[in-house]
Amino acid sequence: MQTVSTIQNHSMQVLSKADCHCHTVFSDGTLTPIALLDLAKEKQLTGLSITDHDTVDAYPIALPYAKELGITLVPGIEISATYQNTSIHVLGYAFDLSNSALRIFCEKLQEQRETRNHKILAKLAHINLPVTMDEIQERFPGGTIGRPHIAKLMVEKGYVKTMQKAFQRFLGEKQRCYVGGMTITVPEAIGVIHDAGGFAVLAHPHGLRPKMLEALCEMPFDGLEVYYGHLSLKQEQPILSIAVRKNWLITGGSDFHGEKKSFHGLGCSFTPADTFDQFVARTLKNQMAIA
Ligand code: AMP
Ligand code: ZN
Ligand code: FE
Ligand code: FE
């Protein structure tokens, strides 16, 4: 059994200056991969993993530029899976970016999203809050489109004051314009990441109900996202103790989406150095060209 002092030792472990959770315009972030890397440099980060939702399309642009800046960029993704009608995010790291099964999987996720987005827009139109696919494509060209993009357009069109309101009143689970339809299971997401040679990590587990967290931790994850945004030590501690008990990787990242969310400033959470070393070693093993 782990003693408290072991856990405290772990919480005082050596952190890298690597933020392993952030988004670009290829999903719902506001910065391009280039601008994100410039900001990472400005903040003196030495490592980064871009974890866009359901896509790795930032990497062809990001990899050569990270190399130029001397930032170690590890392949990453945040996969939208579903468990018991709840959306669960599965982070993948250090996988082979050219893995064709992963590519096909991402395409499948994009198709599911497109079908779902059309259904959401139909529901909005039905209550006289029209947002069109053309408007979305013009405002957000390329990348994974989801509820945050629809919410942003609803704000810009004056339907609601804030994105939060758009979720609370219309797009959130149980609200009238909510559509499920993302059918990837958590073990499926883990399997795809493993098959592509990567590590699978449960994203932001601190927010999950205890029973659900327990069930998810029976699945073949490799790690838990212990350090996240500006979480307090008290919020980190229960997750840290699970990771230690299971001998899983401990990761950390900001979940940066753009400068607006101060809870998620780039570089506000880091991945421990020994985990990041493993990410780099695995990335190299998967024959990635990184800085
Ligand atoms: P989707 O992947 O299209 O289902 O959208 C999920 C994303 O919407 C999450 O990653 C969050 O960034 C955002 N989101 C979910 N619920 C809320 C909420 N209540 N308020 C603001 N953003 C939310
Ligand atoms: Zn997001
Ligand atoms: Fe997430
Ligand atoms: Fe995220």
Side-chain angles (χ1 to χ4, degrees), residues 52-106:
D52 275 317
H53 299 281
D54 307 330
T55 180
V56 290
D57 285 352
Y59 280 89
I61 301 166
L63 277 171
Y65 193 56
K67 201 163 191 173
E68 215 176 286
L69 295 180
I71 293 173
T72 305
L73 183 65
V74 163
I77 190 167
E78 186 172 20
I79 296 175
S80 317
T82 300
Y83 178 72
Q84 292 182 343
N85 293 323
T86 303
S87 170
I88 300 294
H89 287 174
V90 179
L91 292 159
Y93 292 112
F95 48 82
D96 173 9
L97 277 168
S98 64
N99 181 271
S100 56
L102 179 83
R103 297 263 162 190
I104 292 166
F105 181 77
C106 286

Side-chain angles (χ1 to χ4, degrees), residues 156-219:
E156 289 174 8
K157 296 186 80 166
Y159 299 160
V160 280
K161 283 229 158 57
T162 62
M163 283 174 66
Q164 191 63 34
K165 280 257 167 352
F167 273 92
Q168 278 166 4
R169 294 180 54 196
F170 303 106
L171 304 176
E173 274 166 47
K174 300 196 180 91
Q175 301 312 313
R176 60 185 134 160
C177 298
Y178 177 75
V179 178
M182 302 298 289
T183 61
I184 299 299
T185 67
V186 176
E188 260 181 289
I190 296 172
V192 167
I193 295 162
H194 283 166
D195 290 348
F199 296 106
V201 172
L202 179 59
H204 36 71
H206 62 278
L208 297 168
R209 282 183 284 113
K211 275 258 174 294
M212 186 165 285
L213 177 60
E214 202 180 308
L216 289 166
C217 286
E218 292 303 312
M219 296 183 186

